[in-house]
Amino acid sequence: MNIYDIAELAGVSIATVSRVVNDSPKVSEKTKEKVLKIMEEHHYTPNVFARGLGLNSMKTVGIICPDVSDAYMANAVAHLEKSLRCYGYDCILYCSGYAYEDKVEAVRLILQKRIDALILVGSNYAGDGGGQATEYFRSAAREIPVFLLNGYVRAPEVYCILADNYQAVYDAVTDLIEDGRKRILYLYDSTSYSGLEKLRGYEEALYDNDLPVLDELKIFVRNSIEVVQEHLKELSRQEILDFDAVVASDDGLAVGAVKYVRSKNLRIPEDVSIIGYNNSELSVCCEPELSSIDSKGKELCETAVDYMMHYLSGHPIRHKKMVPCQLIRRDTTDF
């Protein structure tokens, strides 16, 4: 029996149970009596987490990301750590890798620490949002609140803060179509939750503008500038590649497309417009400079921490918070 079970039996949030445990005046006498009765019936002894929610005694948050050497992940961890420090909180970082078994083990290990909450960085943890692949952190949410960054899973005590990737790609593709582009190549390297949302934005923008969704214009390729360039060259040699614009799910993919287009002596953006994603340093290191969608990583992290602190203070928060993205226009587009 844990705090999640007590909350479920009483029909209240775990924050309410915590307030009862800590004798908070913010709970009505009727609710307090109901929760205390259930605790007594089930011989529940409040653990350090239940008390910590009300007393802020642990002041530590767990962070798990797949790979801190990844630029996006590294920036996210840095922003999270800085935001947590502003609230007087420390953090414990685990790098889980991408294998399912390793993610399960990372969550198991970090739950052994004295943490108030857990942050999972990246949509890779959400999988396709289904139950089986996410049960390991759904189970963790029965003990502590879990905050999922840039992914979405519908589950009790799992709170999702994510960039609006679907709308960002939908708007970018629509802008290109309104600029007269008819054959828009989409490059992607992930089928994670956010990856699929980006792909959905691409496809639905074409549908809504009466353009066909062609398999030959959806290319899944490893995120390497050189690999992308060589892959496009090979498709060109097979005479199955014809496009007048590119949208990529990451700046690295888009830079590979820039190098390929320039190798064909085509003009950017006159002959081919190109849009990347994440507004990383790559977008200003290539020539011409790359138009890119800013996924608002800093704002995403700060929002996640603000929401967490609001929750740990005993206030209700929504389970899903969307942060809008922004297209940063540079020299690879002219609309």
Side-chain angles (χ1 to χ4, degrees):
M1 182 66 63
N2 55 40
I3 189 173
Y4 177 85
D5 299 318
I6 297 297
E8 187 172 32
L9 289 169
V12 299
S13 70
I14 61 173
T16 297
V17 176
S18 173
R19 286 193 286 268
V20 171
V21 167
N22 292 286
D23 198 26
S24 168
K26 295 182 179 180
V27 184
S28 70
E29 285 301 318
K30 182 178 179 181
T31 299
K32 185 180 296 185
E33 288 175 9
K34 179 171 67 171
V35 172
L36 289 173
K37 182 179 179 181
I38 290 172
M39 289 169 60
E40 183 179 356
E41 289 174 352
H42 293 273
H43 308 290
Y44 172 68
T45 302
N47 62 18
V48 68
F49 165 64
R51 296 190 182 280
L53 275 173
L55 300 177
N56 289 325
S57 60
M58 291 168 281
K59 291 282 189 177
T60 304
V61 170
I63 300 174
I64 301 179
C65 74
D67 181 6
V68 79
S69 69
D70 176 89
Y72 178 86
M73 301 292 174
N75 284 330
V77 170
H79 291 314
L80 288 169
E81 191 274 335
K82 183 177 180 180
S83 296
L84 286 167
R85 210 164 359 103
C86 289
Y87 282 98
Y89 273 69
D90 292 323
C91 63
I92 299 172
L93 173 66
Y94 274 61
C95 293
S96 68
Y98 291 93
Y100 175 78
E101 295 79 8
D102 293 336
K103 291 186 285 188
V104 173
E105 180 66 4
V107 170
R108 186 188 71 81
L109 289 172
I110 208 165
L111 285 180
Q112 295 177 1
K113 309 297 182 183
R114 290 166 58 97
I115 57 175
D116 292 307
L118 174 62
I119 302 176
L120 300 174
V121 181
S123 63
N124 180 266
Y125 293 104
D128 61 2
Q132 185 62 37
T134 58
E135 178 56 33
Y136 67 99
F137 70 78
R138 291 171 185 262
S139 176
R142 295 170 190 156
E143 300 180 40
I144 57 173
V146 174
F147 291 78
L148 179 58
L149 202 65
N150 215 23
Y152 181 64
V153 170
R154 184 179 288 110
E157 306 305 331
V158 176
Y159 301 93
C160 306
I161 300 88
L162 58 161
D164 197 348
N165 296 301
Y166 163 81
Q167 195 63 50
V169 174
Y170 182 98
D171 290 343
V173 173
T174 300
D175 285 340
L176 291 168
I177 294 170
E178 291 176 349
D179 191 44
R181 311 293 172 165
K182 301 295 185 184
R183 291 182 59 85
I184 301 172
L185 177 67
Y186 185 70
L187 300 174
Y188 66 112
D189 69 327
S190 171
T191 55
S192 65
Y193 177 84
S194 67
L196 292 175
E197 283 294 282
K198 293 173 187 177
L199 179 60
R200 185 169 70 90
Y202 165 77
E203 293 177 338
E204 293 192 6
L206 295 177
Y207 283 132
D208 290 350
N209 286 279
D210 299 319
L211 290 176
V213 177
L214 303 173
D215 287 341
E216 64 263 29
L217 291 180
K218 294 187 295 183
I219 297 178
F220 185 90
V221 60
R222 183 158 65 90
N223 192 351
S224 161
I225 294 172
E226 184 177 357
V227 169
V228 172
Q229 185 180 9
E230 291 304 315
H231 188 68
L232 295 180
K233 284 181 178 179
E234 177 58 31
L235 293 177
S236 178
R237 284 192 288 268
Q238 298 174 26
E239 298 183 350
I240 57 176
L241 193 63
D242 176 28
F243 57 88
D244 56 14
V246 179
V247 175
S249 66
D250 185 83
D251 287 339
L253 300 171
V255 173
V258 168
K259 292 177 72 68
Y260 164 76
V261 171
R262 294 195 67 185
S263 74
K264 302 293 288 185
N265 293 319
L266 295 172
R267 298 170 300 164
I268 302 174
E270 293 84 357
D271 299 322
V272 180
S273 290
I274 302 175
I275 297 175
Y277 212 101
N278 286 331
N279 194 36
S280 67
E281 287 190 358
L282 285 175
S283 63
V284 293
C285 290
C286 69
E287 177 60 37
E289 291 189 0
L290 179 69
S291 294
S292 181
I293 295 168
D294 187 346
S295 54
K296 299 293 183 179
K298 181 174 182 290
E299 183 178 344
L300 209 65
C301 294
E302 290 174 347
T303 300
V305 173
D306 288 345
Y307 260 51
M308 178 185 295
M309 294 304 143
H310 200 67
Y311 177 90
L312 294 177
S313 298
H315 301 289
I317 59 173
R318 63 184 65 180
H319 280 267
K320 183 180 181 181
K321 170 68 174 177
M322 302 292 289
V323 175
C325 302
Q326 179 185 5
L327 175 62
I328 307 300
R329 302 182 184 190
R330 297 190 179 90
D331 299 332
T332 58
T333 55
D334 58 1
F335 53 81

